[in-house]
């Protein structure tokens, strides 16, 4: 524990100056984007649908083995919520991977951010938050005008798919809060990840066939699952015990910029200056929305949900905009 840390009623560190926790959050965000970059390298081998299936199946296996949810005692509501959570997870990842097969990674993540940012504005019902969404939307529009960095226009279908992924990301945020409140521990996440894997596996198998079973492809799939899910989720769980929720959200607002950087370094996706400026506008909008959001007391008890906020039994929390962007799939 750092010198600037304090301890809450449950003995959980809530320090506000923990540099290690900041590094964890930034490392988690970077890990997610590296995972997406590695997944993009799978596209020539198994296609976007094959990469999606491989990633979700690997993540589901890891999650099921680690959690081993006791589903025999579940109620019908717990099953339905977890299944719906899995559907949102499958749709979100399928749309996102299809998007990054058509547009640069930084562009796709920036467009996707509109989903949870708009959700935060709707849930808080304040005009100020709507202004942040309008600013982010302006950034996305400018992004479309900036081109793809290779002298051409952005693929409209790729942009549309990224926006669809953002819409399912917003649904994922709402469902994650409900699942976190209804299902103890991480059982809901485990079942949702299995549901998502079952939903995407047929399309992946149909598109890639036996290529999915090549050792090189399987190893890349494991890397993607670990980098995009297991590693960042683990880091965020620790960081959330040490950082204020608002600081956590602001740090995650940097994810579009990190995505652009990873796209440049890993995939050679250079963006024009106008696109870089547009991404910066979206980052500012997300960070600003998080900073001006109403503060909520951190609950003493509850389980950390998939967005990185705490789910309290019987309540659906309104997550700060940056925190709603915490994790697409914490498998």
């Amino acid at each position: 524990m750092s010198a600037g840390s304090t301890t809450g009623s449950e003995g959980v560190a809530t320090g506000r100056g923990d540099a290690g926790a900041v590094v964890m959050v930034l490392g988690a965000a970077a890990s997610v984007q590296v995972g997406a970059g590695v997944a993009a390298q799978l596209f020539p081998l198994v296609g976007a649908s094959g990469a999606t299936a491989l990633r979700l199946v690997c993540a589901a296996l890891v999650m099921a083995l680690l959690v081993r949810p006791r589903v025999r005692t579940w109620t019908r509501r717990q099953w339905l919520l977890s299944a719906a959570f899995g559907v949102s997870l499958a749709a979100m990842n399928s749309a996102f991977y299809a998007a990054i097969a058509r547009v640069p990674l930084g562009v796709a993540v920036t467009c996707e951010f509109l989903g949870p940012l708009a959700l935060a504005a709707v849930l808080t019902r304040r005009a100020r938050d709507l202004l942040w969404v309008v600013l982010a939307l302006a950034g996305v529009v400018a992004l479309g005008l900036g081109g793809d960095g290779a002298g051409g226009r952005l693929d409209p279908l790729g942009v549309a798919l990224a926006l669809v992924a953002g819409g399912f990301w917003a649904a994922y945020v709402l469902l994650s809060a409900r699942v976190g409140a209804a299902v103890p521990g991480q059982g809901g996440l485990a079942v949702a990840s299995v549901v998502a894997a079952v939903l995407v596996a047929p399309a992946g198998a149909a598109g890639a066939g036996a290529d999915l079973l090549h050792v090189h492809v399987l190893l890349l799939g494991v890397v993607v699952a670990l980098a995009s899910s297991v590693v960042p989720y683990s880091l965020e769980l620790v960081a959330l015990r040490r950082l204020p929720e608002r600081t956590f959200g602001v740090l995650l607002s940097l994810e579009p910029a990190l995505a652009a950087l990873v796209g440049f370094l890993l995939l050679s996706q250079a963006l024009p200056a106008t696109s870089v400026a547009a991404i910066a506008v979206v980052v500012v909008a997300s960070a600003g929305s998080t900073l001006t959001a109403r503060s909520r007391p951190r609950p003493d008890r509850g389980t950390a949900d998939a967005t990185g906020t705490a789910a309290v039994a019987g309540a659906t929390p309104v997550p700060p905009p940056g925190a709603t962007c915490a994790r697409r799939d914490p498998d």
Side-chain angles (χ1 to χ4, degrees):
M1 186 183 299
S2 66
S5 297
T6 59
T7 304
S9 60
E10 294 297 313
V12 176
T14 57
R16 295 177 180 269
D18 195 320
V22 171
V23 172
M24 288 180 190
V25 177
L26 294 177
S31 181
V32 169
Q33 302 313 323
V34 169
V38 175
Q41 296 179 1
L42 280 169
F43 295 166
L45 302 175
V46 295
S49 61
T52 305
L54 192 61
R55 181 262 184 85
L56 289 179
V57 168
C58 289
L61 289 173
V62 171
M63 192 66 176
L65 289 173
L66 290 178
V67 176
R68 297 183 181 181
R70 299 179 180 180
V71 297
R72 292 183 180 180
T73 60
W74 279 20
T75 64
R76 182 172 180 270
R77 180 172 181 272
Q78 289 173 317
W79 275 108
L80 290 176
L81 282 173
S82 298
F85 194 19
V87 171
S88 69
L89 180 58
M92 177 174 57
N93 280 275
S94 296
F96 179 71
Y97 274 29
I100 63 175
R102 293 171 171 83
V103 297
L105 179 61
V107 172
V109 172
T110 302
C111 294
E112 192 187 23
F113 249 56
L114 276 182
L117 188 60
L119 173 65
V122 170
L123 292 179
T124 55
R125 298 184 179 90
R126 294 191 304 167
R128 181 193 302 171
D129 295 309
L130 183 59
L131 290 177
W132 290 120
V133 176
V134 171
L135 178 61
L137 181 60
V140 171
V141 171
L143 195 62
L145 298 175
D148 60 4
R153 294 177 61 85
L154 289 172
D155 184 337
L157 179 57
V159 173
L161 286 166
L163 293 173
V164 169
F168 280 109
W169 192 354
Y172 170 91
V173 168
L174 291 174
L175 286 166
S176 68
R178 286 168 170 77
V179 171
V183 182
Q186 304 303 319
L189 292 176
V191 171
S193 63
V194 172
V195 169
V198 169
L199 289 175
V200 302
D211 290 339
L212 286 171
L213 302 179
H214 290 172
V215 175
H216 176 65
V217 171
L218 289 174
L219 288 176
L220 285 177
V222 171
V223 170
V224 171
L226 292 175
S228 298
S229 304
V230 178
V231 171
Y233 185 54
S234 300
L235 289 175
E236 285 171 0
L237 278 179
V238 176
L240 272 166
R241 296 176 181 271
R242 303 180 183 180
L243 288 177
E245 193 175 80
R246 186 165 295 184
T247 302
F248 181 82
V250 170
L251 290 171
L252 286 175
S253 296
L254 296 172
E255 198 160 320
L258 289 172
L261 179 61
V262 170
F264 174 71
L265 295 176
L266 200 60
L267 303 173
S268 300
Q269 294 176 341
L271 295 174
T274 52
S275 294
V276 173
I279 291 174
V281 168
V282 176
V283 168
V284 169
S286 181
S289 185
T290 300
L291 288 171
T292 58
R294 287 192 180 96
S295 298
R296 295 184 299 112
R298 294 176 75 107
D300 291 331
R301 301 184 64 86
T303 56
D305 66 27
T307 66
T309 59
V312 185
T316 301
V318 178
T324 63
C325 304
R327 197 54 43 228
R328 298 179 187 81
D329 43 358
D331 310 314

